[in-house]
Amino acid sequence: MGDPIMKGKAVPHMIGLFPLGMMSLFFLAPLAFMVVVSFYERDPLGFYKVAFVWDNYSKFFSSFYYVISLRSLWSASLGAVIVVLLAFPAMYIIVDMSRRWQLFWVILLLSLMCLSEVIIGFAWLILFSENSGIPKFLGWAGLWEDPRSLSPSFGAMMVGYVTLGFSLVALMFLPQLARRDRSIEEAALTLGTPPMRVFSKVILPNFKAGLISALVTMFVYFLGVFVMPTMLGRPQDWNMTVIITDKAVGDANMPLGAALSVVMLIFTLIIIGSLAYASRTREQGERS
């Protein structure tokens, strides 16, 4: 028979061990193994030989991987900004609709989230194709004299990014926008402020934290996107995720793929940490 008070204190700690165990099993352990493999040496007859070399990390600083890394950061940043700029005003309009239309749009957005990345990619491939999609329709309507396929291209890849992230970001804003204090907007409109000025000067600043959170979420998400760049983008548009897969699986060079993954993970953590630090510093400055 133990002490009931001690048992009461032990239960929350035991419950807390479950997520810690799951985190260790499915995230920390594979990550630690990837870091170890990144120092191994490639074996042409297999995946790797046990060793401790820095060659895999030194290759990252060649111009090839350096350019691809910058390109990955650029495409992920641009995609995140476009998605947030489209999703926030869209959800702002939806939450002010009638209950029936709100339900319709929420179900539609949830349905979009159920579609896999491959299905979305194939759908855009068909729509961008020269013989059966948008180019053919524009040519038939006389709006394009020489229609041709719109993919692969950087624009087609961005369209795929937006399709992937729009429903996710829109639903992230749903509870925040639905619970907002509308009296501030009504007061500004009553004083004669134009609606667009109310949106930019009153609404956007109030949701600054949510907007930054959505931007960071989409940025990290798009850094790891694989299907859209390969299906809709050109080889010169491919991000680091595609290159890592190509090296690790295509060339059977697992140590190099692991080293590139570790470097990209470090870059991502540095960017997220910098944004979090800048946001906290600014909030402290505004309070003081």
Side-chain angles (χ1 to χ4, degrees), residues 43-47:
D43 183 358
L45 301 178
F47 281 126

Side-chain angles (χ1 to χ4, degrees), residues 234-287:
R234 302 165 299 180
Q236 58 265 37
D237 300 321
W238 289 354
N239 59 11
M240 185 58 86
T241 304
V242 178
I243 302 301
I244 290 172
T245 306
D246 181 61
K247 296 300 177 185
V249 179
D251 295 346
N253 193 345
M254 195 67 74
L256 178 59
L260 296 176
S261 301
V262 171
V263 173
M264 288 304 296
L265 178 62
I266 292 173
F267 274 163
T268 305
L269 293 176
I270 291 174
I271 293 173
I272 294 175
S274 301
L275 289 174
Y277 177 77
S279 177
R280 179 178 297 180
T281 304
R282 185 167 182 174
E283 288 179 359
Q284 291 176 349
E286 290 176 352
R287 290 173 184 171

Side-chain angles (χ1 to χ4, degrees), residues 127-143:
L127 286 173
F128 286 147
S129 66
E130 180 179 345
N131 297 322
S132 59
I134 297 172
K136 185 174 183 179
F137 174 77
L138 294 177
W140 172 81
L143 299 175

Side-chain angles (χ1 to χ4, degrees), residues 6-17:
M6 293 302 294
K7 283 186 176 180
K9 291 181 179 180
V11 169
H13 293 291
M14 293 179 66
I15 294 175
L17 290 177

Side-chain angles (χ1 to χ4, degrees), residues 77-132:
S77 304
L78 181 63
V81 170
I82 294 174
V83 167
V84 173
L85 287 178
L86 293 176
F88 184 80
M91 186 49 69
Y92 176 77
I93 295 172
I94 290 173
V95 296
D96 284 341
M97 291 180 175
S98 64
R99 185 69 178 171
R100 176 180 298 180
W101 279 108
Q102 282 186 34
L103 190 61
F104 167 79
W105 284 110
V106 170
I107 292 175
L108 182 62
L109 292 171
L110 288 172
S111 302
L112 287 175
M113 291 182 65
C114 296
L115 297 177
S116 74
E117 196 176 348
V118 176
I119 293 175
I120 294 173
F122 272 119
W124 280 117
L125 269 181
I126 295 172
L127 286 173
F128 286 147
S129 66
E130 180 179 345
N131 297 322
S132 59

